[in-house]
Amino acid sequence: MQVRAQNIIKRFDGGPGNAALDDVSLDVGSGELVALLGPSGSGKTTLLRVIAGLEQANSGQVFFGDEDASQKSVQERRVGFVFQNYALFKHMTIAENIAFGLEVRTRGTRPPKAEIKRRVLELLDLVQLSGLDKRRPAQLSGGQRQRVALARALAVEPKVLLLDEPFGALDAKVRRDLRRWLREIHDRTGHTTIFVTHDQDEALELADRVAVLSKGKIEQIGTPDDIYDHPATPFVHDFIGEASSLPVVARDGSFWLGAERIGLPVLGGQAGQGRLFVRPQDVVFDQAGGIPAEVVAVRRTGAARRAEIAFPALGGERVEINAPAALNFQPGETLPVRFMRGTFYPG
């Protein structure tokens, strides 16, 4: 099922001030898994709730396939929604929780009891919880409860699966395990899936495409490789991965860091002042020559080291770079560094 949000505007105060969603459009292909990624207050959860029908947009439309679903209820849209806090019924067994959406259907649309039971057992097997049908939510771990929540969402055979920070309440190891599991479930079921996260690793690992939101707008949408390797705006570059930026001037075919010339070529049309964004792997120590930098701090990060360096030519502006663990240097030393790559944004 294709999902299309078109020119969505949502203001919670009803006035002309800052919009939670400011003319947002998003196309999600049938069977695609798309992540909505951004900091708190960026509009990602609001967009998900508008698609679900839990929030009504001030203007714009939501299409499921060719059908305008903008005025339809959550039930009419047939979405499966998974919340961060599981939202399971504590007094019900796991099987009863999963069956709930089917049990409450009207008589004419409710499946027979035998069919509901078959469906519940099938889903318990799918989410790897077979044999736990008679337990209650309090008897399960957080990761298991989230699997139950997903099974309950799938039980109603939704057109679209929507997940709002599904792993936000879980510890790091459980999150990593459930990421892989969710991707496997998605590939097996083929549901069109949209999930909200503020965790960039989660988005880049799980999604077919990532939409990065900031202040109610989509800054960029693309594959994980597009987002990481070719950020479209300074915000995306700064938000995705680790990045530092330095004030530079593009002139005479090169970038200049104060009075120091950086050995990076200026692309056609780039000129004037701007900021050069670099990741820790983009700048290296080079004893053969380079721009002088002062080592401010050094810390160990697994098999390597991370160094914080400052450039005297800029009055001490700092960046963080990777360094081999075997490289022996101390804070206060001045060493030459070489820029391997960077992204320039004028202005």
Side-chain angles (χ1 to χ4, degrees):
M1 173 64 69
Q2 182 187 24
V3 177
R4 180 159 50 96
Q6 183 175 298
N7 305 116
I8 301 296
I9 295 176
K10 174 63 179 177
R11 296 187 179 92
F12 286 105
D13 59 7
N18 292 332
L21 295 171
D22 188 2
D23 197 24
V24 169
S25 294
L26 175 71
D27 288 348
V28 180
S30 182
E32 191 176 22
L33 195 159
V34 169
L36 305 181
L37 174 67
S40 297
S42 60
K44 55 190 186 295
T45 292
T46 302
L47 178 57
L48 193 78
R49 291 175 65 86
V50 167
I51 292 171
L54 295 170
E55 297 284 355
Q56 189 70 31
N58 295 91
S59 63
Q61 295 170 286
V62 175
F63 292 88
F64 282 21
D66 294 327
E67 182 180 16
D68 187 349
S70 305
Q71 303 305 318
K72 292 183 179 294
S73 67
V74 179
Q75 293 76 17
E76 290 172 322
R77 296 187 194 197
R78 281 185 56 193
V79 299
F81 207 105
V82 179
F83 298 90
Q84 177 179 336
N85 62 355
Y86 323 125
L88 300 177
F89 298 111
K90 298 178 181 179
H91 65 286
M92 292 184 179
T93 66
I94 300 311
E96 290 167 342
N97 266 281
I98 295 173
F100 179 77
L102 298 173
E103 296 279 8
V104 297
R105 284 183 175 176
T106 59
R107 186 179 299 274
T109 61
R110 186 189 312 145
K113 287 188 177 297
E115 172 61 20
I116 292 176
K117 182 177 180 180
R118 184 199 65 79
R119 180 71 173 149
V120 168
L121 294 177
E122 181 184 81
L123 286 166
L124 280 168
D125 182 60
L126 179 68
V127 300
Q128 301 170 0
L129 293 176
S130 296
L132 303 183
D133 51 306
K134 291 182 170 58
R135 294 193 184 183
R136 298 188 186 277
Q139 297 173 288
L140 303 183
S141 69
Q144 289 174 323
R145 288 198 292 270
Q146 194 56 285
R147 293 182 187 217
V148 174
L150 180 60
R152 184 178 61 182
L154 292 173
V156 297
E157 298 180 321
K159 294 179 179 178
V160 179
L161 185 61
L162 306 175
L163 303 98
D164 187 9
E165 297 273 10
F167 310 137
L170 304 173
D171 64 51
K173 183 181 185 307
V174 175
R175 287 174 72 109
R176 287 194 297 271
D177 291 342
L178 286 185
R179 283 178 204 164
R180 291 191 292 270
W181 171 80
L182 179 60
R183 183 70 226 194
E184 291 171 3
I185 293 290
H186 172 80
D187 291 341
R188 287 174 63 182
T189 63
H191 282 87
T192 302
T193 303
I194 307 171
F195 78 98
V196 161
T197 182
H198 66 273
D199 185 326
Q200 57 181 276
D201 290 338
E202 196 164 275
L204 296 176
E205 180 180 340
L206 264 175
D208 297 315
R209 287 190 302 147
V210 179
V212 182
L213 284 83
S214 174
K215 298 179 180 179
K217 291 181 176 292
I218 293 179
E219 293 268 336
Q220 184 176 356
I221 183 166
T223 66
D225 286 345
D226 289 337
I227 296 294
Y228 188 90
D229 295 330
H230 306 288
T233 67
F235 174 84
V236 176
H237 207 309
D238 192 49
F239 187 73
I240 300 295
E242 298 178 89
S244 306
S245 70
L246 294 165
V248 297
V249 176
R251 72 169 188 271
D252 303 329
S254 294
F255 292 109
W256 293 78
L257 197 68
E260 300 284 354
R261 185 172 185 158
I262 300 176
L264 290 178
V266 171
L267 302 179
Q270 293 180 335
Q273 296 181 343
R275 295 195 74 87
L276 185 71
F277 280 72
V278 293
R279 301 197 187 280
Q281 64 270 25
D282 293 341
V283 184
V284 298
F285 289 106
D286 186 357
Q287 300 290 355
I291 297 173
E294 179 187 350
V295 178
V296 177
V298 182
R299 66 179 186 274
R300 188 67 182 254
T301 56
R305 297 183 191 274
R306 178 63 59 84
E308 186 178 353
I309 60 174
F311 293 94
L314 293 178
E317 286 223 25
R318 302 178 180 185
V319 301
E320 287 196 348
I321 67 172
N322 294 336
L327 189 61
N328 186 19
F329 53 84
Q330 299 296 325
E333 292 186 49
T334 297
L335 298 171
V337 297
R338 180 159 52 95
F339 285 76
M340 307 296 293
R341 65 191 65 84
T343 304
F344 176 72
Y345 298 98

